[in-house]
Amino acid sequence: MGREKKRGTSGATKNYLTRSQAVRKLQISLADFRRLCIFKGIYPREPRSKKRVSKSSTPSTTFYYAKDIQYLLHEPLLNKFRDQKALAKKISKALGRNEVSDASRLERNLKPRMRLDHIIKERYPTFVDALRDLDDALSMLFLFANLPSTAEVPANIIAKCQRLTLEFEHYLIRTHSLRKSFLSIKGIYYQATIQGQDILWLVPYRFVQRTGADVDYRIMATFVEFYTTLLGFVNFRLYTSIGLVYPPTFDLKSEEQGAELGAFQLEAQNGEEQQPADNEVDAETNEKAQAEADRLLSLPAEPQRDEEEQAEADVEDIEANQASALDQFASIDEKADTLLQPSATADSATAGKLFETFTVFLSRETPRHSLEFILKAFGCKRVGWDSSLGEPGAYCAEDDKRITHQIVDRPDLPLPSPPLTDGETDMDVDEVDGVVTKRANERVPGRIYVQPQWVWDSINAGQLQRPDLYAPGATLPPHLSPWVKPKKGDYDPTLSLAAQETAAEAEMEDEEDIVDEGSGGEEVEGVRGDGEAREMEEELDKEEDGGMDVNLAGSEDESEGEVEVSGGADADEDDEWGGISGDEAEDVGDSAARQAQAELEAEALGKAPVQAGTTEKEKRKREREVAQAKRAREEREQQEQVERQKMMMPRRKRKVYEKMVYSNARKDEEAEKLRAKRRKIERGGAAKS
């Protein structure tokens, strides 16, 4: 007879440990256990049966793998936690004896310093692994960089997060690695491609943040401690990969004056080249560029080539452009899904030239930091703003003549006023030391004014958008997410309603138009009937006032005493019908022939014949009824065919098919609701216009 197994020694019970068992085994507090699990990347597990795994009558709620807890027994941070616990006991004893100076000395000199470098190397063996796990790290650090300083979030943590995030943004600006961005309710989404890895993170808007009491900042501070170490390693690797010294030179004075990105100065590793701040243009660089341009202008002109040589050169240029252009994939079947096209922003060289030739000025009401970061990441080297927002980083003033684009987020700006004549004065003109500045809230001639959304839509599309669509005060186009591609049958805001609505929706829209037309016609007829009634009342009034109008006959052809009575009962002879004239007979015959021809054509096309005297409204109604009957018949036949095919399916596949049909119907309903909402908005706009 075999030996009886003891409960809890094998199987699923041995593979799992509860949180209380893990804490007792590691001999640390619950708070330290949580920190250690966050640092090591160990998370609770959900067993298949909690009752079978639990060793007590009451099933526990949190379980961990026994191998993970065994792995934590060899962690060097356990000794640091024990040293902190011993130090806390010494400090509490000193405070109990009222020895405050000794307690502060112990905390200052004996506090253990924890380093997470070995954990970073363990969790991320390669650099690509660290890049893949960088999304959450960037979102958390950008969040803490925008938080106010409180007791839960000290100022040194905020400053560290700001420095690390700005260093990362400088790398993206230098390498033009930023690809897409999107303005959402939560904040601003950014996507960058670094060494083939797509990194997506969220940056909150720079509003006044209010920290809530229901947030556990201890857990978040533990994540921040780990993420700051991770991002420091990543920044070091990124900077050294492009030949820059890490950490870059940081000017604290410029940062205090609001420079932000301008407070960093990148330096090459060889020490020969000094990279100036990206928002400043080096004078030596401009001189070299001007000297090179002068040298090219001084060169003799090339001899004129023959027509054949010129044609061959043009053909070569066209072939080169076609080779460098992106391939466009066209779908063979019109009913198939749209094929994904290659993105125009997939190349860093293309991204670095999008705003390269522009000089942009940012108004005070615009989000300066995000616009500065995006513009510089896509090639713009000359970004200016008002000096009150931070003078060290400003490239130019608002009245600078070199500005090509100004980004504003205010109502429509008026055009410049005509010049004043002699003797006129303008109260809006400011004159300082004899220099007349431009009027307030007035456009500068030769400068393009756009709203901030123009920048985001341009980088997402990979090309510059039309500035007139984003003019100040204009109704902006829909700002769509660059990561959501509409599928077949879904609502697409970029297409018109006629291009995506179904046949039933189109017929329903036609019916609504007919109803609107009919209601308008009834109103017109009602107005016309009231006018005729008023005319009849006026005639009756005239008859009551003056009686019958009698006109005496004064001609020789008429007999004496013969009178012409208008409106009397004796005028029956004038009202008698005298038959159909020749022209009227020809018209009646032609109309009968046209009616017969129309009936023959309708019968040949399979449509119901239109009866004589039918109005256009009745014709359209009849055609709509025929189309609806035809569509209902086709849908019924298709449904019957589907039911026959479902009968041949196995039960499992039939259930899967029914779930798929249900989900597709829900999607179609949502798309139909969105199209109906858009149709209502367009009708309202057309009615107002």
Side-chain angles (χ1 to χ4, degrees):
M1 184 176 178
R3 191 173 182 180
E4 185 179 358
K5 288 186 178 181
K6 189 176 180 181
R7 178 182 174 87
T9 58
S10 63
T13 308
K14 189 177 180 180
N15 295 334
Y16 293 93
L17 287 177
T18 63
R19 187 176 63 181
S20 302
Q21 294 172 349
V23 170
R24 286 197 300 266
K25 192 171 186 177
L26 295 175
Q27 296 181 1
I28 56 177
S29 63
L30 181 59
D32 292 339
F33 176 73
R34 287 173 176 171
R35 292 187 65 193
L36 187 60
C37 289
I38 291 174
F39 290 153
K40 300 290 288 186
I42 295 176
Y43 301 97
R45 306 294 178 176
E46 187 72 16
R48 291 185 178 180
S49 176
K50 289 186 177 181
K51 291 184 179 180
R52 189 173 297 177
V53 172
S54 181
K55 298 180 181 179
S56 60
S57 59
T58 303
S60 302
T61 57
T62 306
F63 294 90
Y64 293 88
Y65 279 144
K67 290 185 177 180
D68 293 342
I69 304 302
Q70 188 71 23
Y71 173 68
L72 291 179
L73 288 173
H74 308 282
E75 176 56 41
L77 290 180
L78 287 175
N79 297 328
K80 299 291 184 180
F81 291 150
R82 293 173 183 136
D83 293 343
Q84 285 183 350
K85 186 177 181 180
L87 179 62
K89 288 183 179 180
K90 293 180 181 179
I91 293 175
S92 63
K93 288 181 180 181
L95 292 176
R97 294 191 298 266
N98 202 15
E99 298 174 355
V100 181
S101 60
D102 293 344
S104 61
R105 178 179 54 80
L106 290 173
E107 185 178 6
R108 184 174 60 255
N109 298 333
L110 300 182
K111 185 177 181 179
R113 305 294 180 182
M114 289 193 302
R115 298 181 61 87
L116 307 179
D117 300 351
H118 65 285
I119 297 181
I120 299 295
K121 295 178 182 178
E122 289 177 4
R123 293 186 60 177
Y124 308 107
T126 62
F127 184 62
V128 176
D129 296 332
L131 292 178
R132 290 172 181 171
D133 201 21
L134 203 61
D135 299 350
D136 295 337
L138 290 175
S139 299
M140 180 68 74
L141 295 182
F142 273 100
L143 172 63
F144 269 71
N146 292 293
L147 288 179
S149 176
T150 58
E152 295 84 4
V153 185
N156 59 342
I157 298 298
I158 297 175
K160 188 175 183 180
C161 294
Q162 290 176 352
R163 182 177 59 84
L164 290 173
T165 52
L166 290 175
E167 289 173 357
F168 183 74
E169 288 180 350
H170 264 294
Y171 171 79
L172 299 180
I173 291 173
R174 185 66 180 269
T175 58
H176 306 295
S177 301
L178 190 66
R179 292 292 173 265
K180 298 175 183 178
S181 181
F182 176 65
L183 299 169
S184 70
I185 299 177
K186 298 180 180 179
I188 305 176
Y189 284 93
Y190 296 97
Q191 182 183 3
T193 302
I194 302 176
Q195 298 187 8
Q197 302 297 323
D198 293 334
I199 303 172
L200 179 66
W201 70 96
L202 175 65
V203 179
Y205 293 111
R206 292 201 169 185
F207 299 145
V208 178
Q209 304 290 341
R210 296 181 180 179
T211 57
D214 56 343
V215 179
D216 191 352
Y217 285 96
R218 295 178 299 173
I219 301 297
M220 299 180 68
T222 305
F223 278 101
V224 169
E225 184 179 359
F226 174 75
Y227 287 150
T228 50
T229 308
L230 172 62
L231 188 57
F233 271 84
V234 171
N235 286 345
F236 172 77
R237 180 66 179 270
L238 293 177
Y239 272 66
T240 54
S241 64
I242 59 176
L244 296 178
V245 175
Y246 185 82
T249 305
F250 179 71
D251 190 356
L252 182 59
K253 185 177 180 181
S254 299
E255 171 65 20
E256 292 176 353
Q257 296 178 358
E260 294 186 352
L261 288 172
F264 292 87
Q265 192 168 8
L266 308 183
E267 183 180 356
Q269 290 181 347
N270 53 17
E272 297 178 358
E273 179 185 358
Q274 186 77 14
Q275 177 68 22
D278 290 313
N279 53 3
E280 297 179 0
V281 178
D282 195 4
E284 296 181 359
T285 305
N286 290 337
E287 293 178 359
K288 292 180 181 179
Q290 186 63 34
E292 183 67 18
D294 296 339
R295 186 185 66 82
L296 294 175
L297 291 175
S298 62
L299 294 176
E302 296 182 358
Q304 296 182 356
R305 292 181 288 187
D306 298 338
E307 295 181 359
E308 296 180 357
E309 296 179 357
Q310 184 67 28
E312 293 178 358
D314 294 340
V315 170
E316 293 178 357
D317 294 340
I318 294 174
E319 292 178 354
N321 293 333
Q322 291 178 351
S324 61
L326 297 175
D327 296 333
Q328 300 294 330
F329 302 102
S331 178
I332 299 177
D333 189 3
E334 297 179 355
K335 299 181 180 179
D337 294 338
T338 305
L339 299 176
L340 294 177
Q341 304 296 336
S343 176
T345 60
D347 188 9
S348 60
T350 305
K353 295 180 180 179
L354 189 62
F355 304 117
E356 186 178 11
T357 59
F358 298 156
T359 301
V360 183
F361 183 85
L362 308 178
S363 299
R364 291 178 297 175
E365 69 277 2
T366 57
R368 179 176 67 86
H369 179 76
S370 56
L371 284 173
E372 179 191 5
F373 168 57
I374 292 177
L375 289 171
K376 291 181 178 180
F378 282 85
C380 184
K381 300 294 183 183
R382 300 168 294 275
V383 181
W385 55 82
D386 193 85
S387 59
S388 61
L389 302 178
E391 187 173 358
Y395 170 73
C396 56
E398 187 176 0
D399 55 352
D400 199 312
K401 296 182 179 179
R402 295 173 294 177
I403 298 175
T404 59
H405 292 71
Q406 182 169 349
I407 301 177
V408 298
D409 194 7
R410 61 184 69 171
D412 190 13
L413 299 176
L415 296 174
S417 303
L420 300 177
T421 59
D422 296 339
E424 292 184 355
T425 59
D426 194 347
M427 301 301 295
D428 296 334
V429 177
D430 299 331
E431 184 173 355
V432 180
D433 297 336
V435 179
V436 179
T437 60
K438 79 176 190 69
R439 296 173 176 85
N441 297 330
E442 186 179 280
R443 298 195 183 191
V444 178
R447 184 180 302 180
I448 298 176
Y449 288 81
V450 291
Q451 299 188 43
Q453 186 180 331
W454 175 77
V455 178
W456 272 272
D457 290 351
S458 296
I459 67 174
N460 292 335
Q463 58 185 357
L464 298 176
Q465 301 298 302
R466 290 173 48 187
D468 57 324
L469 300 178
Y470 302 85
T475 302
L476 295 174
H479 181 58
L480 306 177
S481 174
W483 301 286
V484 177
K485 302 298 181 183
K487 299 179 181 178
K488 182 181 178 181
D490 294 347
Y491 172 70
D492 190 357
T494 59
L495 299 178
S496 61
L497 285 175
Q500 55 182 330
E501 63 183 359
T502 60
E505 293 177 356
E507 292 180 1
M508 188 180 300
E509 185 177 2
D510 293 341
E511 185 176 355
E512 292 177 358
D513 294 339
I514 293 173
V515 171
D516 295 341
E517 292 176 1
S519 61
E522 291 175 2
E523 293 175 1
V524 173
E525 291 176 0
V527 171
R528 186 180 301 139
D530 295 340
E532 293 176 357
R534 284 194 296 271
E535 292 178 1
M536 293 178 64
E537 291 176 1
E538 292 177 358
E539 292 178 0
L540 291 174
D541 293 338
K542 289 181 180 179
E543 291 177 0
E544 291 176 0
D545 294 339
M548 294 186 299
D549 296 335
V550 180
N551 297 327
L552 297 176
S555 60
E556 296 179 355
D557 298 335
E558 295 176 350
S559 60
E560 294 180 359
E562 187 177 0
V563 294
E564 180 180 355
V565 182
S566 63
D570 298 335
D572 295 338
E573 296 178 358
D574 297 336
D575 294 338
E576 292 181 356
W577 181 60
I580 301 177
S581 62
D583 297 337
E584 293 176 353
E586 292 178 0
D587 294 340
V588 172
D590 293 341
S591 61
R594 286 194 298 269
Q595 178 66 23
Q597 183 66 25
E599 292 178 358
L600 292 175
E601 292 178 357
E603 185 178 356
L605 296 175
K607 298 182 180 180
V610 182
Q611 301 297 330
T614 306
T615 61
E616 183 66 24
K617 179 180 177 181
E618 294 176 352
K619 291 180 181 179
R620 294 173 62 182
K621 183 178 179 181
R622 181 62 180 172
E623 292 176 356
R624 186 176 65 255
E625 291 176 354
V626 172
Q628 289 177 355
K630 183 179 180 181
R631 187 177 68 255
R633 184 175 63 255
E634 292 177 354
E635 292 178 355
R636 185 173 59 255
E637 293 176 356
Q638 185 178 3
Q639 184 66 22
E640 292 176 355
Q641 183 179 1
V642 170
E643 291 296 334
R644 289 193 298 269
Q645 293 176 354
K646 285 172 60 177
M647 293 175 61
M648 305 299 295
M649 289 183 181
R651 184 174 179 274
R652 180 183 300 177
K653 292 185 178 180
R654 185 168 64 251
K655 293 294 184 182
V656 173
Y657 176 77
E658 290 176 355
K659 290 182 179 179
M660 181 185 68
V661 171
Y662 175 77
S663 60
N664 291 339
R666 291 291 300 272
K667 292 180 181 179
D668 293 341
E669 289 178 2
E670 293 295 332
E672 186 177 354
K673 289 180 181 178
L674 292 174
R675 287 193 292 267
K677 185 177 180 181
R678 179 177 175 182
R679 188 180 299 109
K680 184 178 179 181
I681 293 174
E682 290 182 356
R683 284 177 177 272
K688 291 181 180 179
S689 61

